[in-house]
Amino acid sequence: MPKHYRPAGKKKEGNAARYSTRSQALKLLQVNTKLFRKLCIYKGIFPREPKKKFKGNHHTYYHLKDVAFLRHDPILEELRAKSTYLKKVTKAKAKKNRELADSLLKRQPEIKLDRLVIERYPHFIDAIRDLDDPLTMVHLFAALPATDRMKIEVKRVHNCRKLSHEWQAYIARTHKLRKVFISVKGIYYQAEIEGQKITWLTPHGLQQVLPDDDVVYDVLLTFLEFYETLLAFVNFKLYHSINVKYPPILDPKLEASAAELYALSRYLDANSRNSDQVEVTQLEESELRLSQLQHQLPSNKAGALMQLVKGATDENEEDEDTKECKDFFKNMKFFLSREVPRESLLFVIPAFGGIVSWEGEGAPFNEADQSITHQMVDRPTQGHIYLSREYVQPQWVFDCINARIILPTEAYLLGRVPPPHLSPFIDNEEEGYVPDYAETIKRLKAATKNEILPMPGAGVEDLDDPQNLLAEGYISRTEAIEAAERKQKMMTLEKQYHDELKMELQVTQSSTSNTNKQSSGVDMEAREESLPDIQQIANDTANMSKVLMSRKKRGLYEAMKKGQEKKKAHVDLLKERKKKIDEGKKSKKN
Amino acid sequence: MDDNLASASLKRTRMRAGKTVSVEATSPKKKNNNNDKKKKKQNQTEKKDDQNLLKKTIKSANSVQTENDASHKIQELEQQQNTTQELSATDSDSDSDYQVFSEDEVSEDYESLRQSEDGESESSGDEVHGSYDDLNNDNDAGHEDQSDGSESHQGVEESDSSEDEVAPRNTIGDVPLEWYQDEKHIGYDISGKKITKKERQDKLASFLASVDDSKNWRKIYDEYNDEEVELTKEETKIIRRLLKGKAPHSDFDPYADYVDWFKYEDSLHPLSNAPEPKRRFIPSKWESKKVLRYVRAIRKGLIKFDEPKEEEPRFYLMWGDDSSTAEKANRLSYIPAPKSKLPGHEESYNPSLEYIPTQEELNSYQLMYDEDRPKFIPKRFTSFRSIPSYENAVKESFERCMDLYLCPRVRKKRINIDPETLKPKLPSRKDLKPYPATCYLEYKGHKGAVMSISTEASGQWIASGSTDGTVRIWEVESGRCLRVWEIGEPVHCVAWNPSPELPVLAASAGQDVVLLNTGFGNEERKRVGKLLQVETHTASDDSDNMASIVSWLQDDKLGGIRLRHFKTVTSVDWHRKGDYLSTVMPADILFSVYLIFTVFVYSFLSMDHGRFSYF
């Protein structure tokens, strides 16, 4: 008799009635695995974990409700129709009827996914919450080469590029970007929209590697199809929220010169200016101001007008953070040299209120502009140097943004090895290890908060170590304060510890013999003697309570302990390495 | 014979040989062209009588052409004819061909040209030939013709038909002339007589003759017939025309009007006289039907044209008013996928130095298992521009996709607590005070060490076994010794029967296990007394096989049963219900190396039978 025998006529019960394995689901839906995969991806259906896996551990289980959900969706019929239609095409091709095949391909039915988008994300906030993966994927495909073999079409790559630029333009325009991190894998951005933190990864702007094996491009492309639709609708909504017509019409010249992002931001500026103007006239503000605006219009300075109008309308809806980001690079003018990765900086700098230009066609201003304050360079030497501006490496921008202070540029100057670039997503205290540079930045922040102006030029003698160089000069004061604080804290802690020890000792002594309380001198001696004893007692009690835990809890406790130990081991390793490096440096100096 | 002159001419031929070789090397095609031209021209010639001669001249003309400035040469020749200049024969530093022409006799020049052609066909051995040529011009002529054969072969062959008409003097046919090199004759005439070679003129004499003779430049040596031929004015004209690329005869019109000899209208018998069929001039019925069908299909909309559809706006305000779409979806709860882990410091392109593993660590990674090896190894790049593209970007994206649609999702509570809070709160030791810190009761009486104690089921009594050979029962609360049994041997183990109905005490001493009647209770005492008495004789009957291991004896002195084993018993224990008893004794070490414990379990009693059984 099989293990789960069910007599004939008796209904299934429990998990077996509520869940079905993957193959059962396939049979139920009358689809093949490919179609099932597509359906699942479009509809966002995922396997679930039944409490009891009635068919064994190696099966994938879907909830029967989910399967029914797939079964009653019209998309199933549409997909089936499409696959039949594609069979016609293959047939025509097999008969070498090229003409028919082409015309069939041209007229193939289009599957629209907007219904699925609204079904999966009934609220805008849901869509925003789930935007991490779509953004990452779209940004990745925007950088991929279109290949026939992988069925990556040129059209889709272009669409991805377009969508990613639209998204970036919105983020930059509304100053929603919060954190940026350059990693080996690419550049991570974190924006905050409606209180949701959205993190996405863009690959470095280089030729991407398309692995042949172990990647099924069909899966990726199916996901991409849904993501493209989702992102387009999200973009529509976002553009709508700032009164801009959605499919933006771009300046073809700028678009051709690969400065789409700039073209988009210009479009956004222009459009929102118009709408703002309408608002202003509707609001009937003071005549004086309006005349001012009119006066400024022909001068074609998008920024000035916008600031004026926006100042009145937007202030209430902008939160503190956005305001800070908006004015972060205020009054700074950046120029990007040829070798600097343009895309990322063209996005990041305007997002934090800076004005940026680049070397190439369609740039708003050229290198000779005297008002440029910073020039981004990423080369060992610079031929012609303008004295009016600072030549810094691009990392400076990212570090400034993450630290939210304008860092001194000394360490990032032309030709120097920049200080380490730290992840803004990590809580150093929680991690248990604080890198040196994080400490330095923290001090700098404290210094700016206390309005202690850094003293430039100090600490130049330590040129080889940028971290020291940066900090040393103006840390001294804050450090002194901090050190004093720390000392005090340590003192209090120590005192507390001693007190506690004393208390414990007194208790134990009183239990064994009540006569030992005579002088403090004797007491001190006794304490020293009994110190290891106390330790042992503590150990014993810990073990005792561990013995008394239930088995489940003990397992949990041990797992947690293991995790903690692992973390600690990692931190120790880092500390050890750091120590070695320091020693090596010292020995080199000597 | 003038040696000087001979050497000079030798030099020249050498020079030319070298030159022509280079020409041939560069333009082999040109020669072919010349051959074709030659063929054409030959066909066009209508004069048959001087055919042979003409051929030769053409040949010479060709060879001149191969020298690349043929027309120039002809002009030069003309000039020479007009002026008849005297030139020094010893002018050896001449390197241009014109000067060579002016120096030498025309015939010799022709010779030299032929030689140069010769040089074309055989390049390396030319110098030897050259010296040889100079010594014997006749031989040279024959030899040269043969070597030339390969080149002018077609021309010779084609002219064969025309040659039939004017028979040449020599009848040897188309054989290499060098066969006759060493003979005194050059061939045979039509009657079969030998044609003897002419006496060769001295170079100097021939030169002088050429200087004197104004017609000399028109003379050509025909080595086949071994005679000198003088070209007529007409012939030179023909040559000149040929060189210009015209038809040889001036009266030939290359662009004559076309005369259509096969005119259909005028002919008496046309190719076909059938009348034009009707279908050729009335519209096709089937075609019109087909057109009609298409028209109908188009009208019905069966045929659609691939016109670009007008782009309707694909995107619209999907989440217009969030409150309106707030109705609850009738489906399972959506579990959002966990977000991917945010990168730490070690993933930076420029991490702090301590994040980068040392070389030793990297080596140790190689020794690890694949699953233990860290997935990501931090790297450091000193500038933004030097970051390479990440090779796993697509792969990681794909893995994420697979996770999204294939990983089961479960909501799990993540406990974010300090693990120490999981520990149960234990009262501290001082809170448990006062616990007994001093000795409260002592059970005095044993004279040896107490090996084992056992508590009675009710907890009122303790039994103790000692090395002094006594088993004692104590009252727990008072410490009073209730009973003492003298067993005689050191007692290792005592055990109370856990059942309260059977207050029996088992004690092991040496090889014996003694079951003692403690005598507690009233009814129980009697029953136990009965139990412990009846069994002695039947036990030995019951099993013979066990007799060697254990024997049951009645011990009247103690009022119980003595189970005698063949080895020392170390331990005794009761079953929880009190029905069975087990003893442990170490097996003989002699029999096995290990210390094996043999366990006997005795069924202590079944009340009905009133006796022990064992197995």
Side-chain angles (χ1 to χ4, degrees):
Chain A
M1 195 185 279
K3 202 177 171 189
H4 304 286
Y5 177 71
R6 180 167 49 84
K10 192 165 187 278
K11 272 192 180 176
K12 276 184 189 171
E13 280 173 355
N15 283 319
R18 254 174 275 134
Y19 290 92
S20 76
T21 60
R22 192 184 154 88
S23 50
Q24 277 174 344
L26 287 178
K27 219 181 249 175
L28 212 78
L29 291 171
Q30 296 275 304
V31 289
N32 54 10
T33 38
K34 246 183 177 177
L35 198 55
F36 182 71
R37 183 172 71 199
K38 220 169 199 181
L39 272 174
C40 283
I41 291 170
Y42 284 156
K43 293 275 286 178
I45 299 292
F46 44 86
R48 291 181 193 250
E49 196 103 315
K51 272 203 184 115
K52 187 177 179 189
K53 294 182 171 175
F54 53 93
K55 277 269 171 148
N57 227 351
H58 55 286
H59 280 277
T60 320
Y61 294 89
Y62 287 86
H63 202 283
L64 269 181
K65 266 196 178 180
D66 278 337
V67 178
F69 189 50
L70 288 180
R71 195 178 183 182
H72 296 297
D73 201 288
I75 193 111
L76 175 60
E77 246 352 275
E78 278 171 43
L79 285 174
R80 275 193 189 132
K82 179 148 189 177
S83 69
T84 342
Y85 189 89
L86 286 179
K87 267 181 208 159
K88 279 188 201 169
V89 178
T90 44
K91 198 173 177 186
K93 269 184 189 161
K95 290 186 173 175
K96 310 229 164 117
N97 195 348
R98 253 228 116 69
E99 210 174 308
L100 180 64
D102 283 348
S103 72
L104 279 174
L105 272 178
K106 251 182 219 165
R107 280 187 276 127
Q108 64 179 319
E110 199 183 345
I111 291 178
K112 282 192 170 180
L113 299 175
D114 36 354
R115 197 179 39 75
L116 296 177
V117 171
I118 189 75
E119 193 181 81
R120 277 175 70 171
Y121 305 108
H123 302 280
F124 184 56
I125 194 94
D126 300 330
I128 290 284
R129 213 174 278 151
D130 250 11
L131 219 50
D132 281 18
D133 290 313
L135 280 172
T136 305
M137 180 85 111
V138 165
H139 276 90
L140 173 68
F141 269 83
L144 284 189
T147 36
D148 268 352
R149 203 155 43 91
M150 320 296 188
K151 291 177 187 163
I152 304 171
E153 295 164 18
V154 183
K155 208 174 70 188
R156 303 194 74 178
V157 173
H158 277 297
N159 191 30
C160 286
R161 271 191 81 79
K162 202 189 89 194
L163 286 172
S164 61
H165 282 135
E166 282 165 8
W167 168 262
Q168 287 180 5
Y170 171 79
I171 296 289
R173 175 71 185 70
T174 51
H175 310 289
K176 300 259 167 129
L177 194 64
R178 293 293 172 266
K179 284 169 183 174
V180 190
F181 175 54
I182 315 165
S183 88
V184 174
K185 294 179 179 178
I187 303 175
Y188 286 88
Y189 298 99
Q190 193 173 62
E192 199 175 334
I193 296 177
E194 301 196 1
Q196 297 296 326
K197 276 181 182 159
I198 304 158
T199 319
W200 72 95
L201 169 71
T202 63
H204 291 297
L206 293 160
Q207 178 76 34
Q208 296 299 317
V209 187
L210 286 176
D212 262 341
D213 42 357
D214 39 87
V215 172
V216 182
Y217 284 88
D218 277 354
V219 175
L220 279 174
L221 288 171
T222 318
F223 265 103
L224 184 68
E225 209 169 322
F226 182 77
Y227 287 163
E228 273 175 297
T229 323
L230 170 65
L231 196 57
F233 279 107
V234 167
N235 278 350
F236 190 99
K237 166 85 180 170
L238 292 173
Y239 275 55
H240 184 263
S241 69
I242 54 167
N243 287 330
V244 180
K245 192 165 175 284
Y246 171 57
I249 300 136
L250 302 184
D251 186 358
K253 217 170 91 189
L254 276 176
E255 211 176 344
S257 62
E260 280 159 347
L261 191 61
Y262 176 65
L264 256 170
S265 61
R266 264 183 50 174
Y267 170 82
L268 280 180
D269 282 351
N271 272 32
S272 53
R273 185 181 63 195
N274 290 341
S275 61
D276 286 339
Q277 197 191 337
V278 171
E279 258 173 63
V280 170
T281 46
Q282 278 173 350
L283 284 169
E284 295 273 309
E285 283 198 356
S286 67
E287 291 279 314
L288 187 84
R289 193 160 177 190
L290 225 159
S291 65
Q292 256 183 352
L293 293 177
Q294 299 294 3
H295 183 68
Q296 270 169 346
L297 244 178
S299 71
N300 208 12
K301 252 197 170 179
L305 174 69
M306 227 168 52
Q307 238 88 52
L308 262 176
V309 186
K310 282 240 129 183
T313 52
D314 280 2
E315 222 143 79
N316 44 357
E317 55 190 68
E318 272 176 12
D319 52 88
E320 200 66 12
D321 227 6
T322 312
K323 250 184 257 167
E324 193 194 334
C325 290
K326 197 169 153 188
D327 299 337
F328 189 67
F329 282 139
K330 207 177 173 186
N331 306 327
M332 286 194 186
K333 232 173 166 183
F334 293 85
F335 187 82
L336 311 182
S337 282
R338 182 167 37 80
E339 72 281 358
V340 176
R342 195 200 291 169
E343 284 216 338
S344 136
L345 283 165
L346 277 187
F347 166 45
V348 167
I349 293 171
F352 284 87
I355 302 166
V356 66
S357 176
W358 64 93
E359 203 171 324
E361 265 178 61
F365 50 88
N366 60 6
E367 195 178 348
D369 196 329
Q370 287 299 319
S371 57
I372 293 170
T373 57
H374 292 84
Q375 180 158 352
M376 299 289 122
V377 282
D378 200 2
R379 52 179 106 177
T381 51
Q382 173 83 11
H384 182 256
I385 286 181
Y386 291 89
L387 291 174
S388 62
R389 64 184 75 158
E390 288 188 83
Y391 287 83
V392 287
Q393 297 189 27
Q395 197 197 318
W396 177 77
V397 173
F398 299 109
D399 280 354
C400 282
I401 287 165
N402 291 336
R404 285 294 166 75
I405 47 163
I406 304 290
L407 293 169
T409 52
E410 274 104 52
Y412 299 92
L413 286 183
L414 185 73
R416 289 203 181 136
V417 175
H421 181 62
L422 301 172
S423 168
F425 305 116
I426 291 286
D427 185 3
N428 284 321
E429 269 69 46
E430 198 181 292
E431 208 70 7
Y433 179 76
V434 186
D436 279 357
Y437 195 57
E439 198 74 28
T440 316
I441 287 174
K442 204 174 148 196
R443 284 197 195 130
L444 283 171
K445 255 176 151 173
T448 47
K449 252 183 206 166
N450 296 342
E451 300 295 327
I452 300 166
L453 286 173
M455 294 173 285
V460 184
E461 71 282 345
D462 208 9
L463 269 175
D464 53 16
D465 192 356
Q467 301 176 21
N468 291 353
L469 173 149
L470 246 184
E472 253 166 40
Y474 35 86
I475 278 169
S476 50
R477 244 181 283 182
T478 44
E479 200 173 25
I481 299 163
E482 225 167 273
E485 266 176 31
R486 206 183 298 158
K487 212 173 178 183
Q488 215 168 358
K489 212 174 173 185
M490 283 291 283
M491 291 271 276
T492 49
L493 272 174
E494 210 170 343
K495 210 176 165 190
Q496 200 180 342
Y497 177 65
H498 282 307
D499 285 350
E500 274 172 69
L501 267 182
K502 219 182 272 178
M503 289 270 284
E504 213 161 330
L505 253 172
Q506 279 169 1
V507 168
T508 46
Q509 279 170 350
S510 67
S511 68
T512 47
S513 60
N514 297 333
T515 54
N516 259 1
K517 274 195 234 162
Q518 266 121 26
S519 66
S520 60
V522 176
D523 204 64
M524 285 289 280
E525 276 169 34
R527 184 207 290 170
E528 268 163 36
E529 265 172 36
S530 55
L531 242 169
D533 211 358
I534 289 168
Q535 197 110 40
Q536 183 135 24
I537 288 165
N539 266 346
D540 282 351
T541 49
N543 281 339
M544 184 83 86
S545 52
K546 205 172 155 189
V547 164
L548 286 174
M549 269 193 274
S550 71
R551 190 193 286 177
K552 195 175 170 187
K553 270 194 176 170
R554 199 187 306 146
L556 190 63
Y557 174 82
E558 264 157 20
M560 281 168 121
K561 274 279 171 199
K562 212 182 250 176
Q564 278 182 344
E565 262 158 39
K566 212 174 164 189
K567 211 171 179 182
K568 195 162 170 288
H570 181 64
V571 169
D572 286 347
L573 179 71
L574 286 179
K575 274 179 185 162
E576 197 184 319
R577 275 187 203 154
K578 171 85 186 148
K579 209 170 140 193
K580 264 185 195 166
I581 289 165
D582 285 348
E583 273 169 15
K585 259 184 198 166
K586 252 181 212 169
S587 64
K588 241 184 215 173
K589 261 183 197 173
N590 299 337
Chain B
M1 282 275 177
D2 196 335
D3 276 331
N4 241 351
L5 202 68
S7 68
S9 76
L10 172 68
K11 220 181 201 172
R12 254 172 258 131
T13 48
R14 273 181 194 167
M15 267 167 59
R16 276 193 205 117
K19 205 170 179 183
T20 43
V21 165
S22 70
V23 165
E24 195 220 20
T26 51
S27 57
K29 251 188 190 167
K30 201 168 177 181
K31 216 163 77 181
N32 286 343
N33 277 345
N34 289 339
N35 274 342
D36 292 344
K37 237 183 229 169
K38 187 164 62 186
K39 249 194 279 177
K40 220 197 280 172
K41 283 165 198 166
Q42 277 171 359
N43 288 339
Q44 280 165 351
T45 48
E46 285 172 15
K47 259 193 177 177
K48 305 286 179 180
D49 43 8
D50 53 1
Q51 182 73 34
N52 203 10
L53 189 75
L54 191 67
K55 209 170 48 181
K56 294 278 156 65
T57 56
I58 288 161
K59 246 188 218 169
S60 77
N62 270 331
S63 63
V64 168
Q65 255 186 345
T66 52
E67 290 288 5
N68 231 351
D69 358 51
S71 56
H72 283 281
K73 267 179 219 162
I74 293 292
Q75 282 164 9
E76 194 75 24
L77 285 175
E78 278 171 342
Q79 275 176 11
Q80 200 190 16
Q81 183 198 16
N82 294 336
T83 53
T84 59
Q85 279 175 344
E86 277 226 14
L87 290 163
S88 62
T90 51
D91 192 5
S92 60
D93 61 341
S94 62
D95 48 354
S96 79
D97 289 325
Y98 315 119
Q99 280 162 341
V100 171
F101 266 84
S102 56
E103 259 170 41
D104 289 353
E105 228 180 317
V106 176
S107 62
E108 206 191 303
D109 188 81
Y110 167 65
E111 286 285 329
S112 64
L113 285 175
R114 295 305 294 262
Q115 277 164 15
S116 73
E117 229 175 58
D118 180 19
E120 278 176 51
S121 52
E122 32 182 291
S123 53
S124 59
D126 197 69
E127 281 184 33
V128 186
H129 274 291
S131 57
Y132 181 67
D133 284 349
D134 257 56
L135 294 175
N136 194 348
N137 248 347
D138 270 10
N139 289 353
D140 170 45
H143 158 77
E144 171 259 330
D145 203 9
Q146 184 261 344
S147 66
D148 199 26
S150 64
E151 195 203 25
S152 58
H153 191 66
Q154 280 182 322
V156 171
E157 254 186 358
E158 242 179 65
S159 61
D160 269 355
S161 59
S162 58
E163 244 171 353
D164 293 341
E165 293 163 32
V166 181
R169 195 162 64 101
N170 197 346
T171 56
I172 55 166
D174 196 16
V175 296
L177 289 176
E178 63 184 354
W179 291 359
Y180 294 90
Q181 229 172 30
D182 302 330
E183 306 295 326
K184 279 189 178 150
H185 58 283
I186 58 158
Y188 308 90
D189 62 4
I190 199 147
S191 55
K193 284 175 187 164
K194 284 180 181 171
I195 305 170
T196 50
K197 277 181 187 168
K198 273 187 190 163
E199 198 64 33
R200 214 46 198 154
Q201 249 186 327
D202 185 359
K203 281 259 172 178
L204 191 60
S206 69
F207 173 70
L208 287 174
S210 72
V211 169
D212 290 342
D213 193 3
S214 63
K215 284 177 189 171
N216 185 46
W217 67 276
R218 275 198 252 155
K219 281 178 187 162
I220 283 173
Y221 174 70
D222 174 17
E223 74 255 16
Y224 187 70
N225 291 324
D226 193 25
E227 62 188 5
E228 273 202 344
V229 186
E230 191 181 323
L231 300 178
T232 60
K233 273 194 176 167
E234 288 77 42
E235 282 165 356
T236 51
K237 257 183 202 168
I238 286 169
I239 290 169
R240 218 166 279 156
R241 284 184 69 81
L242 284 175
L243 286 174
K244 278 178 188 168
K246 290 177 184 171
H249 288 271
S250 53
D251 52 346
F252 174 72
D253 182 12
Y255 306 110
D257 290 333
Y258 173 70
V259 182
D260 191 4
W261 298 105
F262 305 100
K263 269 189 182 162
Y264 171 68
E265 281 89 8
D266 302 341
S267 56
L268 209 72
H269 301 290
L271 293 175
S272 163
N273 212 8
E276 192 88 345
K278 198 179 174 184
R279 63 173 179 275
R280 295 236 176 111
F281 53 85
I282 59 165
S284 158
K285 195 169 89 184
W286 302 111
E287 265 180 21
S288 66
K289 272 191 174 174
K290 210 165 195 179
V291 168
L292 202 66
R293 214 162 51 220
Y294 279 135
V295 167
R296 278 185 189 140
I298 290 167
R299 273 192 200 142
K300 274 184 192 167
L302 296 175
I303 294 177
K304 284 171 200 155
F305 297 103
D306 298 331
E307 52 198 19
K309 284 177 230 160
E310 66 272 15
E311 276 282 306
E312 56 202 55
R314 282 185 58 206
F315 304 108
Y316 48 88
L317 191 60
M318 185 173 269
W319 300 279
D321 188 13
D322 265 4
S323 58
S324 66
T325 52
E327 104 269 348
K328 200 181 175 298
N330 185 24
R331 58 161 168 154
L332 287 177
S333 63
Y334 174 70
I335 305 171
K339 298 199 168 183
S340 34
K341 201 173 163 262
L342 289 172
H345 295 314
E346 68 278 354
E347 274 190 41
S348 165
Y349 85 99
N350 181 14
S352 308
L353 279 173
E354 59 264 28
Y355 284 98
I356 297 160
T358 58
Q359 192 55 47
E360 295 152 29
E361 281 162 342
L362 284 176
N363 292 341
S364 72
Y365 291 159
Q366 295 297 315
L367 299 175
M368 283 179 179
Y369 287 113
D370 273 346
E371 51 263 33
D372 295 342
R373 206 171 291 158
K375 299 277 177 302
F376 180 83
I377 295 168
K379 272 184 211 160
R380 189 157 185 262
F381 302 97
T382 48
S383 67
F384 198 1
R385 68 172 185 279
S386 55
I387 313 172
S389 72
Y390 183 55
E391 70 268 21
N392 282 340
V394 176
K395 205 179 156 199
E396 277 179 11
S397 182
F398 172 67
E399 273 161 12
R400 173 76 182 164
C401 282
M402 291 304 275
D403 285 351
L404 283 181
Y405 99 97
L406 270 186
C407 272
R409 294 189 201 164
V410 186
R411 267 185 213 281
K412 269 192 178 158
K413 270 185 200 162
R414 195 179 184 84
I415 304 168
N416 198 8
I417 48 162
D418 185 28
E420 296 303 324
T421 55
L422 286 173
K423 284 182 175 175
K425 265 264 160 71
L426 285 184
S428 72
R429 211 178 275 184
K430 51 191 170 189
D431 291 346
L432 291 175
K433 275 171 189 171
Y435 45 75
T438 50
C439 182
Y440 178 64
L441 260 180
E442 272 182 291
Y443 302 90
K444 283 186 175 168
H446 279 298
K447 286 175 190 92
V450 176
M451 298 303 285
S452 142
I453 57 167
S454 173
T455 325
E456 201 243 358
S458 62
Q460 199 184 350
W461 312 103
I462 296 178
S464 63
S466 162
T467 47
D468 60 5
T470 57
V471 172
R472 287 167 188 259
I473 291 180
W474 312 84
E475 192 175 37
V476 172
E477 281 188 1
S478 61
R480 177 169 63 98
C481 181
L482 193 72
R483 273 190 81 162
V484 182
W485 288 279
E486 292 278 346
I487 291 167
E489 278 178 278
V491 178
H492 284 290
C493 187
V494 287
W496 278 97
N497 191 332
S499 159
E501 287 102 51
L502 292 169
V504 175
L505 187 66
S508 73
Q511 293 188 348
D512 298 339
V513 172
V514 192
L515 300 175
L516 300 167
N517 185 2
T518 51
F520 292 137
N522 295 323
E523 289 169 30
E524 282 92 346
R525 186 168 51 183
K526 283 178 196 165
R527 231 176 62 201
V528 170
K530 237 165 127 192
L531 262 176
L532 292 179
Q533 276 187 354
V534 177
E535 308 316 319
T536 39
H537 54 282
T538 48
S540 53
D541 301 347
D542 243 7
S543 60
D544 297 326
N545 57 337
M546 291 302 284
S548 59
I549 297 168
V550 65
S551 52
W552 294 68
L553 302 168
Q554 179 75 36
D555 197 330
D556 290 330
K557 193 181 85 186
L558 297 170
I561 301 170
R562 191 178 280 266
L563 306 174
R564 179 147 291 166
H565 296 69
F566 74 102
K567 285 276 168 210
T568 322
V569 177
T570 54
S571 171
V572 183
D573 209 353
W574 291 91
H575 182 248
R576 169 168 61 79
K577 280 184 179 167
D579 292 348
Y580 304 99
L581 171 80
S582 68
T583 62
V584 178
M585 67 177 172
D588 197 348
I589 299 169
L590 282 174
F591 288 128
S592 69
V593 185
Y594 314 103
L595 195 68
I596 302 167
F597 290 93
T598 323
V599 179
F600 295 101
V601 181
Y602 308 95
S603 162
F604 175 55
L605 73 125
S606 44
M607 296 296 277
D608 315 338
H609 299 158
R611 59 177 187 155
F612 284 104
S613 61
Y614 58 88
F615 46 88

